DNA sequence: CCGAATCCATGTCGATACTG
DNA sequence: CAGTATCGACATGGATTCGG
C-alpha cells in the first residue's frame, strides 16, 4: 500500500518540540508559570543567549508561548505558555515517561546481551 | 529554580522518533504488520534506499523494530514492529492528532491576523 | 537586560554509482 | 533484492562580539 505523507501530521508536532532546549524550556515554563528571560537563562546554565532567544521565538511563532515586552529601562521581557500551548503538556509528559522506561529497557537488554555472551 | 537536564527524558523519545521518515515508517509498520524491505520502499516512493536502510537500522538499534534476514538468494529481509515498539504507538497517534488540530489552529490565527489588518 | 549579527563545526539528507 | 560507499547541499547549534 502506498503511503501519503501529507496525511501524516506527526511531524507538525515534532517540528515544534525538536530543538535542543525546547522540551526543557516548555516543561519549565509549564511548571513555573511566567518567567523573565533572565530567569530562564539562569535556570538553563548551559544555554547561550542566542539559543534561548531563538528557541523562544520559534515557540512564540507557533503560538505555544507568549512574549510580553515591557517598555522600560532596563528592558523586561516575560514568557508564558499560552493556553493553546498547554495542549502539548500531556504529550511531553507521555514522552518523558516513555523515556524513563526506555532507560530501564536499554539496561535490561544490555544485561541480557552480556549474559548471553559468556 | 535551576533545571537538571538529566532528569528530563523527553529527548530519549524524541531521538528515536526524529528522522525524516521514521514516523511514517513506524505508523506504516504498525498498521500493516511485517513488511519486506522492497514493500516499504514501494510504499515510500520518495525515500532513497540509503535512507530507508539507515532509518530502519536506527530503529532496530533501539529495539523498536525487528529485522529478520532469510538466508536465500535473492535476499529477503523482513521488518516488524517489536512488542516493545508498540509502546510508542499511543504517542505517535497523539502527536498526529495534535498535528491535525494544529493545522486548523494556524489557519484560524492567519484569518484573525488578516481581518485585524484591514 | 535582552538581543542581533557573524563565523564556524558538525550532522542530516539526497543523488548517484556500485556489490553479493 | 537489499544493501554499501562517496560526495556535496543545507540546517542546526555554539562562541563571540556588538548594540539600544
Amino acid at each position: 500500500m502506498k503511503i501519503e505523507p501529507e496525511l501524516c501530521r506527526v511531524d507538525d508536532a515534532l517540528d515544534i518540540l525538536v530543538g535542543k532546549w525546547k522540551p526543557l524550556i516548555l516543561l519549565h515554563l509549564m511548571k513555573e508559570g511566567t518567567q523573565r528571560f533572565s530567569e530562564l537563562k539562569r535556570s538553563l546554565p548551559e544555554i547561550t543567549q542566542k539559543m534561548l532567544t531563538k528557541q523562544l521565538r520559534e515557540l512564540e511563532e507557533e503560538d505555544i508561548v507568549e512574549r510580553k515586552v515591557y517598555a522600560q529601562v532596563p528592558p523586561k521581557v516575560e514568557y508564558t505558555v499560552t493556553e493553546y500551548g498547554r495542549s502539548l503538556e500531556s504529550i511531553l509528559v507521555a514522552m518523558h515517561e516513555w523515556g524513563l522506561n526506555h532507560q530501564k529497557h536499554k539496561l535490561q537488554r544490555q544485561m541480557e546481551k552480556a549474559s548471553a555472551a559468556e
Side-chain angles (χ1 to χ4, degrees), chain A residues 50-99:
Chain A
K50 174 191 162 185
M51 283 313 294
L52 183 52
T53 302
K54 190 171 169 244
Q55 311 261 309
L56 284 167
R57 290 291 167 78
E58 287 171 12
L59 292 170
E60 186 195 7
E61 186 72 22
E62 299 295 335
D63 197 27
I64 308 300
V65 305
E66 189 196 351
R67 178 168 181 264
K68 193 164 180 182
V69 183
Y70 293 84
Q72 61 182 47
V73 179
K76 174 177 169 185
V77 181
E78 285 181 348
Y79 292 92
T80 315
V81 175
T82 62
E83 168 107 20
Y84 178 64
R86 289 274 167 193
S87 63
L88 278 171
E89 191 160 11
S90 60
I91 290 179
L92 280 172
V93 170
M95 291 179 74
H96 171 69
E97 273 160 14
W98 191 91

Side-chain angles (χ1 to χ4, degrees), chain A residues 11-115:
Chain A
D11 290 343
D12 295 52
L14 236 29
D15 289 345
I16 289 172
L17 262 20
V18 169
K20 187 161 177 190
W21 307 91
K22 283 184 191 162
L24 240 27
I25 292 169
L26 278 177
L27 285 171
H28 188 65
L29 280 178
M30 283 169 176
K31 189 175 162 201
E32 306 287 328
T34 300
Q35 295 266 298
R36 292 188 59 163
F37 184 86
S38 49
E39 287 179 295
L40 286 171
K41 180 74 184 68
R42 263 193 302 280
S43 299
L44 279 331
E46 317 281 81
I47 202 173
T48 61
Q49 282 195 347
K50 174 191 162 185
M51 283 313 294
L52 183 52
T53 302
K54 190 171 169 244
Q55 311 261 309
L56 284 167
R57 290 291 167 78
E58 287 171 12
L59 292 170
E60 186 195 7
E61 186 72 22
E62 299 295 335
D63 197 27
I64 308 300
V65 305
E66 189 196 351
R67 178 168 181 264
K68 193 164 180 182
V69 183
Y70 293 84
Q72 61 182 47
V73 179
K76 174 177 169 185
V77 181
E78 285 181 348
Y79 292 92
T80 315
V81 175
T82 62
E83 168 107 20
Y84 178 64
R86 289 274 167 193
S87 63
L88 278 171
E89 191 160 11
S90 60
I91 290 179
L92 280 172
V93 170
M95 291 179 74
H96 171 69
E97 273 160 14
W98 191 91
L100 280 178
N101 186 63
H102 191 55
Q103 284 188 299
K104 284 196 294 185
H105 186 80
K106 270 181 125 158
L107 275 174
Q108 207 162 33
R109 279 195 299 143
Q110 274 180 29
M111 287 172 53
E112 282 167 15
K113 207 172 152 188
S115 69

